[in-house]
Structure formats: structure tokens, C-alpha cells
Amino acid sequence: MNDRSPTQQATHWLTGLERALAQGDVAAAVALFDTDSYWRDLLAFTWNIKTCEGPAAIADMLAAVLDGLKPSNWRIEGEASQDNGMTEAWFTFETALARGRGLLRLRGDRCWTLLTTMTELKGLEERKGPTRSMGTTHGVVPGRKNWIERRTEEEAALGDSKQPYCPFRYT
């Protein structure tokens, strides 16, 4: 009989998945899934919107994308819940290029459904809070331009004297 809390059960499962993926052991990762299982990925692993149905499809997807992906840092977010024998937990994770969030549903000790979503690209994080650009400059500033004047200058320069920044090379 399993006497672990839902959070402990979900953490144990995610730790097993993290270990298998870090070792590149697709078979060990797939062994954590139920025979009737689904993995829905939104950009985090496949750079596409993809649903894998069953262990064979999950194995094919992992074999195709795992090289260089380096998924890690799988952590439960908050507390897991349990209802009618189903354990459900939100989690966060990282890959070599991105950060993500996901939802895990376990039947017993095996995964029934797994959702992985990309939330941000590393190095291109959304500028929010103290890192966001300020729209207004207060005080006396000689020659100050308003937002529309700065935006018009930026648009005129883009592609001519200023090129957009892109840190990734696609092959």
C-alpha cells in the first residue's frame, strides 16, 4: 500500500523522470508511463504542438528530441492533490533553451497524462517588474522626446542602421 502524500508521490515520479532523461534513458522514462498514457507538449520539447498517445509514441518523441535538450530542474509547484485515485500536480522545469510549466496526472505510480509547456526562452525573458522599460521620463530633460517620437525613430532605424537581435541560429 502506498502511504506517500500526493505531493511526495508526484515528486517521486518527477525525480524518476528527471533521472531517466538526464541519463538519456528513453526506456526508463517510458516505463514511468501507463499503457494508456498521453504526453501533450506545447513547444517545450518538440518546438511544436504535439500529443503523443501511448508509450511507443512517447518513446519516439523522446528519441527524436532528447539530444541537446537537457531537461532538468523538475519541481512541484505548490501541493499536489488526489481525487478518486488520481494524483494531480503542477510543476516547473527547464531545458537547455527554455523554462516551462506542466501538469502531471498519475494513476497509482504511473503517469496517465503529462502536459509540458514552454513559458519563456532563456536569455529572452519578458521584461516585467523592475526590468521593464519605462515609458515616461519625469523631470526636466532638455531635448526629451515622447514615446511616439522615440518609436518613430526606432521604426525608421530598424533594418537600416539597427538590426533586430536574435541569439539563436536555426539549422
Side-chain angles (χ1 to χ4, degrees):
M1 178 107 188
N2 188 356
D3 58 353
R4 289 185 286 211
S5 73
T7 301
Q8 290 171 329
Q9 187 178 5
T11 300
H12 178 74
W13 190 90
L14 282 175
T15 301
L17 181 66
E18 183 173 23
R19 187 180 314 115
L21 295 179
Q23 295 171 352
D25 191 345
V26 172
V30 171
L32 297 167
F33 287 83
D34 196 25
T35 54
D36 174 32
S37 56
Y38 304 87
W39 184 333
R40 176 79 163 171
D41 180 62
L42 305 177
L43 305 174
F45 278 70
T46 61
W47 291 89
N48 207 335
I49 299 172
K50 183 170 179 66
T51 302
C52 300
E53 298 181 31
I58 293 169
D60 290 345
M61 183 268 293
L62 287 175
V65 303
L66 203 50
D67 263 358
L69 194 62
K70 300 179 186 165
S72 64
N73 221 11
W74 299 76
R75 301 289 177 260
I76 295 292
E77 190 176 71
E79 293 292 319
S81 63
Q82 194 167 49
D83 189 31
N84 293 327
M86 182 82 61
T87 302
E88 184 175 284
W90 289 96
F91 62 91
T92 59
F93 65 96
E94 295 183 22
T95 67
L97 298 175
R99 290 180 189 85
R101 189 166 188 246
L103 179 66
L104 167 68
R105 290 192 179 115
L106 300 174
R107 284 188 192 155
D109 288 333
R110 301 219 185 267
C111 180
W112 175 48
T113 63
L114 183 67
L115 169 69
T116 50
T117 63
M118 181 190 299
T119 57
E120 66 184 1
L121 289 168
K122 291 180 179 178
L124 295 173
E125 291 82 1
E126 180 180 356
R127 294 179 59 186
K128 55 186 175 183
T131 63
R132 77 179 177 90
S133 60
M134 301 305 287
T136 303
T137 306
H138 297 284
V140 178
V141 179
R144 177 174 63 191
K145 296 178 181 167
N146 65 27
W147 179 86
I148 195 67
E149 290 169 334
R150 291 191 317 264
R151 180 70 177 140
T152 302
E153 284 181 3
E154 182 181 314
E155 284 179 345
L158 193 60
D160 185 30
S161 61
K162 182 179 178 183
Q163 299 300 318
Y165 173 71
C166 183
F168 303 111
R169 288 189 331 179
Y170 299 98
T171 56

